[in-house]
Every structure is written in C-alpha cells, then in structure tokens.
Amino acid sequence: MARSRRRLAAAVFLLVLAACTGTAGRPSPGTGTAGTPAGSGSAAPGGLRAVRHVWVIELENQGYAQSFGTPSADPYLARTLPQMGALLQNYYAIGHSSADNYVAEISGQAPDIATQSCQYLLGADGGRRVAGLTGIEYEGLGVITQTATLHVSADFSPWARDPDVLIRWIHSPQAGVLVVMVPMGPERWGPASEEWVIHLNYPVDDPRAQSDAQVEADARQALGIPDLPMKIHKITRWSVEAVIASAFRAGRVFLLGDAAHRHPPTGGLGLTSAIHDAQNLCWKLALVLAGQASPALLDTYQAERRPVDERNAQRSLENAVNHFTIGAALGLSHENTPEQNMAQLRRMWSGRPEDATHRSAVLRAMRAQSMEFNELNVEYGYCYQSAAVVPDGSAAPAPADDIRVYQPSTRPGAPLPHAWIDDEDGNRRPVKDLVAPGRFLLIAGEDGHAWCEAARQLAEEADVPLDVLRIGHLDGDYHDPRCDWQSHRQIASDGAILVRPDRFIAWRYPAAASDPRAVLTAALSQILGRRPFAQPGPAGS
Ligand SMILES: Cc1cc2nc3c(=O)[nH]c(=O)nc-3n(C[C@H](O)[C@H](O)[C@H](O)COP(=O)(O)OP(=O)(O)OC[C@H]3O[C@@H](n4cnc5c(N)ncnc54)[C@H](O)[C@@H]3O)c2cc1C
C-alpha cells in the first residue's frame, strides 16, 4: 500500500500545467504571452490548437519522489510518463499570476532557466507556495501535532508476530506515548520486513522532536529495545494538520490535493482526496480547452470537491482523535511512571470484577477505531451537487451506516456503481471500463434505442465527446447474465444514464421519453454550460 501511494504521489503531479503555450521540448525563454482565452476556438499560434498539455514533474525535491531514483528505473513512471507526454525537468514554480490573472509563470533551474505561460495553473505543491501566492487562506485547526519519523532497517520479527497486521499502534507503558510502526519491505513484508518506519507523535513545538538523538532514544524506550541493532536511514519531521483552503480556485489558479486540504493520515484519505480532486478537475479542463464546454464548467470543481474534502478532513481528524481516546480510556499518560502505566494496562487482563467496566470502555473505544479501516461510504458514497449534475428529484439513499456502508446508486451525482458485464464473446469486464478517458457515456437499457439514436446525433452535431451503448441480458451491446448491472441501474429497460468522464452520474431518465433529443440536449447543455446548445435537428424536436 505504501509503495503504491508513493508511486501515485509522484505520478499524479507535482505541478500540472494545463494548456501551456510553449513547446513540449525544452521550454524556450520568454514565451510570456497569455494563451488565447479558453473557448474562443482560435487556431492561431498560441491559440487552442497550438496548446500543449505539459505535465511538469519535479523529481529532484525531497520526499517520496526521492525514493524513485531515476524515472526510467521505476516501471510505473516509465510506463506512465510517456503516455502523459511528460516533460521531465526540475522545475520550481514561482507561480505568480499577472495582473489580469491570465498568465502563470514557471521557472526552471539553471541552466534550464525558462518561463512558461499557461492559461491555467494547477497548484499541487502540497500547500508549500501556490496557495500563499494566490492569497487563498486556510481554515481549520492548523498544526495539531508534530511527528518524527524514523526510517530504519531492523529485525522486529520476534515482536511483530502477526502477519495479518499492517500498521501497529503501540501504547507504550514506558513512555506513555503512541508509537506507530509500518513495515516498508522492500523484499519481504509483514513481520519479516527488512525496513520499517516508526512514527512518534510529539506535542506542537516540543523541542524533543528536533533532536535526532532524542528521537532515537524515545523510540528505543517506547518500544523497549534499548540494544536492538537498528540502522537509521533517515529521521524526518512533519506536521499533522487539519486545514482546508477557504477557496479551491483564484482566477485561473486551482488548488488540488494537499495544497487544498491537509489532514491526519489516519484513514488514508489524503492521497485518495488528491486523486479525486485531479480526476474531477482534469476532464473539465480538457473540455474547456477543447472548446467543448464553457469555462463555467470549471466552477463546479470547488462546488463538488470542497464539501467532500471537508468531510474527508473531518473523518481523518476523528480517526486520529480516537487513537488518543483509546490511550485515555486505558488510563495511559506520559505523566505517569512506567509502573503506573503498566498497572493500568494490567487491568485489561486482570479478570477482576472491579475492572470489568474499565475493560468494556477500552474495548468500546477500540471498536470505534474500526471506522478508520472500514469507511467505504466516506471514500465512495458521496454525491456531487453542482451545475454539472442534473438532479432527477429522487431522494438521497439512506445507507445503513453513514460511514461504513456504501450503497451503490445511479442517482445523479453518485459514482457509477460497479457491475460485471460481458461482451458478445463472453469476455467479462467492469462497467467502469466502458467509460473512455475524457468522454461521456450514455448507457441505455436493452430497449433504449431511442436514447442511443438521440445521443449519437447530438454528439455529432454539437461536438460532444459522447459514446453510446445498451446493456441488457438478452439484447444490447453488452450483456448482463448475472443481473449485476440490472440490480444497480435503477432505470427501466428503455431508460438511460449519462456518465461523466470521471465516472460520476451526470443525469438519468427512468424510462422512454417522448422527445429524447430535447431531454438530452437540455441535460448536456446544462452540464457543459453551453446554452444555447446545438440547433435542434429536423428529426430531433
Ligand atoms: C505518514 C503518512 C501516511 C500517509 N498515508 C496515506 C494513505 O495511506 N493514503 C492516502 O490516501 N494518503 C496518505 N497520506 C497522505 C498523502 O501522502 C498526501 O495526502 C498526498 O501525498 C498529497 O499529494 P499531493 O500531490 O497533493 O502533495 P505532495 O505529495 O506533498 O506532493 C507535492 C509535491 O510538490 C513538490 N513541490 C512543492 N513545491 C514545489 C515547487 N515550487 N515547484 C515544484 N514542485 C514543488 C514537492 O516536492 C512534492 O513532491 C499519508 C501521509 C503521511 C505523512
């Protein structure tokens, strides 16, 4: 898990420049003119057809990216970056917008000093600079603890015996602190892992966190391993924050990922949110730059993502706080002596009647921690509300548990439910794979020919990237022998669902319509912010 997260952290983007007006090779100095405003449809140099999408990925800086070595040595990057047309340079954003907010400039390092103009700047720098340069402020609790992380090689197998445990939270009677241990492989995982990270949480501004010798001493004391051979590769410090940007957009600058929200890692929602931010924004940006959507579509980024990210931040905080609730319920404190802490711990297995209530309270607090590892409805059960979603008047589903139980739905705004379907030859695939990158997909029931015909016409006449298909048990372009899709689709056999390029439901219609072309035109013109939309064809309305 940690390895894939590291891959993604670097691969998603460090700085994503959209619509750069320079060239895709080594940037030429002084290409400092603003690109043609999106949507103008100009084919002139510097206009839309001259636009290149350049992903600038900075690999020199510290952090996870450092673990990769060279990009060619990492199979994921080697495969992915050429597909993205990546331009690998060590870039540093100076990231200021010009007065009219149309240009952001990026400076490379010597000898490749260059500036690059772009129509839109995506600030995905972990919150280091771009937000500050735009004047966007953060709301929330700020820094709540500081963590010192030791990356070590050591043999913990005599203690870490259970191979099913991924992350170990250890309430140490010696130090009265919470220690978190995560195996890091790289060859073996689980108890025999050769490398580990050990996190120690300190109060904000605690000077002990700044001394390597003290951090090592605290780790050894907390784990009771005064003499265990342990090679320390690195000790890093990072702050646990709980903040969210007051706005995700300032003019043509967007904030994504940790630049927009930073919360405790408990629950693993940080990179999850970052990827969903990028997934939400990039198709919109692509359509706007291609002249297929109005720039108004970009306003839906904040409307859709900020409420979700706010909830993710809140959940992450609750997950973190619950760890300390367990410690408090156990009666552990760094102000106690080790003997006092040990006496508190013994109450858990004393078997004495007078400890029964105490034990129940601790076990209840531990059960509450299960939310951190089982929060599917937080991760996937949210429903966007914005102009890029056409509501159908249906009520939001009421899951059996708001955090843990995800209830698939095709209600507009919800993510496309998973279902296995078959092609004509019986090859099985998930329905999500039918949504092509950057394209809408209309999924009709087996009797939804009229929807398909209307959608095909509209796609062609109004230049909408829209694919069309029918799914049914006996008839259709794809088949549903297990009734997997049918049990989720929530439309009749002559209804239809419109899926956005990010695989969220944009619109649905429960059955046949008397004028499907007009209904689809209204829906797509709202979603794309294109009013009026295509001129109705003679057959259509
Ligand atoms: C211990 C720990 C465990 C975690 N576990 C999980 C987990 O299990 N699941 C999960 O989803 N999330 C997890 N997270 C959170 C996750 O790592 C972050 O949310 C995620 O990395 C954010 O991605 P990002 O791309 O927005 O920012 P970052 O990963 O911070 O990337 C920003 C990059 O921008 C670069 N940069 C900064 N300034 C500039 C500049 N001026 N020019 C060019 N480049 C610049 C930086 O060097 C950095 O590489 C964890 C975090 C921690 C600390």
Side-chain angles (χ1 to χ4, degrees):
M1 184 188 72
R3 184 166 167 77
S4 64
R5 181 171 57 71
R6 285 183 307 190
R7 284 176 173 165
L8 289 165
V12 169
F13 45 155
L14 298 193
L15 276 172
V16 184
L17 299 186
C20 288
T21 55
T23 59
R26 183 174 178 272
S28 54
T31 50
T33 52
T36 307
S40 70
S42 165
L48 285 173
R49 284 194 203 157
V51 156
R52 282 179 186 272
H53 297 246
V54 181
W55 296 62
V56 179
I57 301 202
E58 180 272 331
L59 291 169
E60 183 262 6
N61 217 332
Q62 293 201 352
Y64 293 128
Q66 209 175 36
S67 333
F68 290 119
T70 61
S72 57
D74 185 281
Y76 179 83
L77 288 183
R79 197 174 65 245
T80 309
L81 295 180
Q83 290 170 8
M84 297 196 298
L87 175 68
L88 289 177
Q89 302 273 351
N90 290 329
Y91 273 86
Y92 290 87
I94 56 174
H96 69 263
S97 300
S98 69
D100 62 4
N101 226 359
Y102 272 60
V103 183
E105 295 177 355
I106 306 296
S107 280
Q109 277 185 311
D112 284 334
I113 300 283
T115 55
Q116 190 93 13
S117 299
C118 56
Q119 293 178 28
Y120 295 98
L121 176 72
L122 309 198
D125 65 343
R128 288 163 183 82
R129 296 191 70 181
V130 178
L133 291 165
T134 62
I136 294 175
E137 295 186 345
Y138 292 103
E139 302 168 353
L141 298 179
V143 177
I144 48 182
T145 65
Q146 55 179 326
T147 303
T149 296
L150 299 96
H151 176 197
V152 304
S153 288
D155 179 11
F156 288 111
S157 59
W159 297 277
R161 289 191 186 147
D162 187 340
D164 289 339
V165 175
L166 176 64
I167 306 176
R168 291 172 170 79
W169 279 266
I170 299 163
H171 289 276
S172 157
Q174 278 80 10
V177 297
L178 182 61
V179 182
V180 185
M181 291 185 70
V182 189
M184 297 295 286
E187 299 302 327
R188 295 189 299 272
W189 294 83
S193 178
E194 307 94 318
E195 297 180 21
W196 296 75
V197 290
I198 305 169
H199 303 295
L200 295 180
N201 286 304
Y202 290 94
V204 179
D205 296 332
D206 187 329
R208 291 179 301 165
Q210 302 310 322
S211 157
D212 283 1
Q214 183 68 51
V215 167
E216 180 184 350
D218 288 346
R220 286 186 176 281
Q221 188 199 22
L223 296 175
I225 49 161
D227 304 318
L228 182 77
M230 188 165 79
K231 181 178 179 192
I232 299 178
H233 302 289
K234 195 168 187 178
I235 300 179
T236 50
R237 279 101 186 154
W238 49 281
S239 302
V240 179
E241 289 181 87
V243 294
I244 185 162
S246 54
F248 281 17
R249 176 181 187 176
R252 289 173 177 266
V253 180
F254 294 85
L255 300 183
L256 300 88
D258 276 18
H261 41 79
R262 291 185 295 284
H263 31 92
T266 34
L269 293 169
L271 187 58
T272 304
S273 306
I275 292 169
H276 286 194
D277 290 347
Q279 183 210 28
N280 183 286
L281 180 57
C282 288
W283 70 269
K284 296 172 181 175
L285 210 42
L287 291 194
V288 169
L289 292 170
Q292 292 169 314
S294 146
L297 179 61
L298 301 176
D299 291 335
T300 64
Y301 167 62
Q302 172 170 324
E304 294 184 349
R305 287 306 307 166
R306 196 172 184 280
V308 175
D309 289 331
E310 195 168 11
R311 186 179 188 218
N312 289 350
Q314 178 66 25
R315 271 307 306 154
S316 305
L317 190 60
E318 288 164 7
N319 287 332
V321 166
N322 202 67
H323 283 290
F324 296 101
T325 305
I326 294 172
L330 282 164
L332 299 177
S333 166
H334 65 276
E335 291 173 353
N336 292 347
T337 64
E339 292 72 28
Q340 287 170 323
N341 280 329
M342 203 61 214
Q344 284 291 348
L345 280 179
R346 285 204 183 92
R347 296 177 67 193
M348 288 298 294
W349 57 86
S350 73
R352 294 183 310 195
E354 60 266 35
D355 287 335
T357 309
H358 167 79
R359 188 170 183 275
S360 276
V362 173
L363 293 178
R364 186 186 186 284
M366 286 181 174
R367 283 197 298 276
Q369 202 65 50
S370 66
M371 311 278 192
E372 180 177 348
F373 314 103
N374 187 5
E375 49 187 6
L376 209 51
N377 200 45
V378 176
E379 289 162 3
Y380 208 50
Y382 52 80
C383 196
Y384 290 146
Q385 290 180 48
S386 78
V389 170
V390 183
D392 67 353
S394 60
D401 184 296
D402 194 39
I403 294 172
R404 293 175 295 168
V405 180
Y406 160 61
Q407 191 171 310
S409 168
T410 59
R411 184 170 181 261
L416 175 67
H418 167 70
W420 292 110
I421 45 138
D422 288 2
D423 66 16
E424 191 79 7
D425 298 323
N427 298 309
R428 188 185 299 189
R429 68 194 65 198
V431 70
K432 73 172 179 58
D433 281 7
L434 303 178
V435 186
R439 299 183 65 80
F440 287 87
L441 176 68
L442 182 121
I443 305 177
E446 57 271 34
D447 299 320
H449 301 83
W451 287 116
C452 294
E453 186 51 32
R456 278 194 200 96
Q457 284 177 14
L458 199 56
E460 191 178 327
E461 291 165 19
D463 186 25
V464 179
L466 170 60
D467 297 321
V468 176
L469 53 85
R470 289 178 301 124
I471 301 177
H473 180 191
L474 300 179
D475 300 310
D477 304 294
Y478 289 90
H479 304 290
D480 188 20
R482 292 163 290 275
C483 293
D484 212 5
W485 174 242
Q486 195 170 345
S487 60
H488 292 312
R489 69 183 185 184
Q490 298 172 327
I491 54 167
S493 63
D494 53 359
I497 289 164
L498 183 66
V499 188
R500 308 191 321 190
D502 60 355
R503 302 191 190 123
F504 277 73
I505 310 292
W507 161 97
R508 74 176 170 186
Y509 208 84
S514 58
D515 188 348
R517 170 73 185 263
V519 175
L520 262 181
T521 299
L524 271 163
S525 69
Q526 175 188 319
I527 294 159
L528 297 174
R530 286 169 59 182
R531 299 172 202 251
F533 202 38
Q535 296 302 314
S541 48

